[in-house]
Amino acid sequence: MATHFARWTLNPKFPFSSRLNQECHAWARQLPEYRRSRFLSSRSLLAEMLYMLYGIQQLPKIVTTDTGRPYFADPSLTDFSIAYAGNKVGVLITTEGRCGLDIEINQSFGQLPSVASATNFRSNESIWINNQTNPDEAKAQLRTLHQSAFKLTGREESLQLLPGAGRIRVSNQSEIEAISDVEGLLIWGCVVSPAIEKLSLWEFESPQNWHSLWDVQSRYRDPNGSIIRLTSMSSEKALYQN
């Protein structure tokens, strides 16, 4: 089992992927210009990920649930999740189970326009937030995890985060795992069921220019790092992941 998270800082000079199918282009033409650009960018990143990781030549057919969640029509393919923030797009792929991704722009870098929705934190979450060095970044991390879990389950009320204990609980999900980190301007969170296991991070610039980013274990060892990992598994089992 493997999980891959790629991000792309959009470049208006870079053409969209040649691996997009005609159905994707037809759907994009129905969208307003701003949404069209974001839509084609996210599908381009997804298509290039599939080619880079698995050699898939063209983006497979995508359908959506009643709530608008996209997924591949072919059930044998991987699950994926898409997120946007500012001029950045992110795509998460998991080879087994289901996943959710969310990203935010770090407001600590100045008065940046925020598109983050309000989140009502539980008391244990608020206590953890207030105990962190940067409570605003900590809030953003938990927001990304709330939104990621919602994308996975479709039910916000089913989620309980226990960041102080390193645990996550979701109704009807006996095995689930979450990771969030702060990387300068970007704050991200992802939730995967049954487990994330090995998480690989990628930066996309062009089809010929992929960058493999830092490894998760090195972030855990960074005394100034902000990475958090929540799991539904016992602490003994989680200890040996990654």
Side-chain angles (χ1 to χ4, degrees):
M1 186 189 306
T3 305
H4 298 271
F5 168 35
R7 75 289 303 271
W8 180 23
T9 301
L10 305 184
N11 182 352
K13 296 181 180 179
F14 181 79
F16 299 118
S17 175
S18 61
R19 304 187 188 282
L20 301 183
N21 55 43
Q22 290 305 310
E23 185 178 26
C24 185
H25 284 289
W27 179 260
R29 284 193 291 269
Q30 303 175 45
L31 300 174
E33 183 176 353
Y34 175 68
R35 288 189 59 201
R36 182 187 311 133
S37 177
R38 297 214 318 177
F39 175 85
L40 290 173
S41 297
S42 65
R43 270 54 180 182
S44 291
L45 180 56
L46 176 59
E48 294 298 338
M49 283 184 74
L50 292 175
Y51 177 72
M52 184 265 293
L53 293 170
Y54 311 117
I56 297 175
Q57 295 287 337
Q58 188 176 61
L59 182 67
K61 179 180 176 63
I62 294 175
V63 293
T64 58
T65 65
D66 293 339
T67 58
R69 184 185 193 274
Y71 65 98
F72 291 124
D74 182 348
S76 69
L77 294 174
T78 61
D79 191 37
F80 67 91
S81 183
I82 293 170
Y84 308 94
N87 66 340
K88 297 181 181 294
V89 59
V91 172
L92 185 74
I93 287 178
T94 183
T95 55
E96 183 177 331
R98 300 184 68 197
C99 62
L101 170 72
D102 190 47
I103 60 178
E104 282 193 21
I105 299 299
N106 192 342
Q107 302 300 304
S108 298
F109 278 74
Q111 297 302 313
L112 302 172
S114 175
V115 295
S117 58
T119 300
N120 294 320
F121 295 108
R122 296 173 184 261
S123 60
N124 71 85
E125 294 173 342
S126 296
I127 292 171
W128 179 82
I129 288 169
N130 292 330
N131 284 334
Q132 303 310 301
T133 304
N134 190 324
D136 289 334
E137 289 183 353
K139 284 181 183 178
Q141 285 186 269
L142 294 195
R143 277 198 304 267
T144 64
L145 293 180
H146 274 269
Q147 185 62 20
S148 297
F150 176 75
K151 289 181 177 181
L152 190 154
T153 67
R155 303 184 312 276
E156 171 68 19
E157 69 279 359
S158 68
L159 173 69
Q160 184 178 11
L161 299 179
L162 304 166
R167 303 299 293 272
I168 178 174
R169 295 174 184 167
V170 178
S171 301
N172 302 320
Q173 299 283 342
S174 59
E175 292 183 302
I176 194 164
E177 195 169 3
I179 293 180
S180 176
D181 199 6
V182 179
E183 298 180 40
L185 193 62
L186 186 70
I187 299 175
W188 58 269
C190 65
V191 177
V192 177
S193 177
I196 293 173
E197 293 198 353
K198 180 174 177 57
L199 175 62
S200 299
L201 304 176
W202 305 90
E203 180 84 33
F204 175 76
E205 289 189 14
S206 72
Q208 296 77 34
N209 201 357
W210 282 94
H211 301 285
S212 177
L213 303 180
W214 49 264
D215 116 336
V216 170
Q217 282 289 63
S218 66
R219 293 290 287 179
Y220 290 138
R221 294 190 292 267
D222 183 354
N224 299 314
S226 301
I227 192 168
I228 56 174
R229 186 169 194 155
L230 311 180
T231 177
S232 62
M233 292 182 279
S234 66
S235 58
E236 292 80 12
K237 185 174 181 180
L239 181 64
Y240 293 99
Q241 300 297 321
N242 269 352

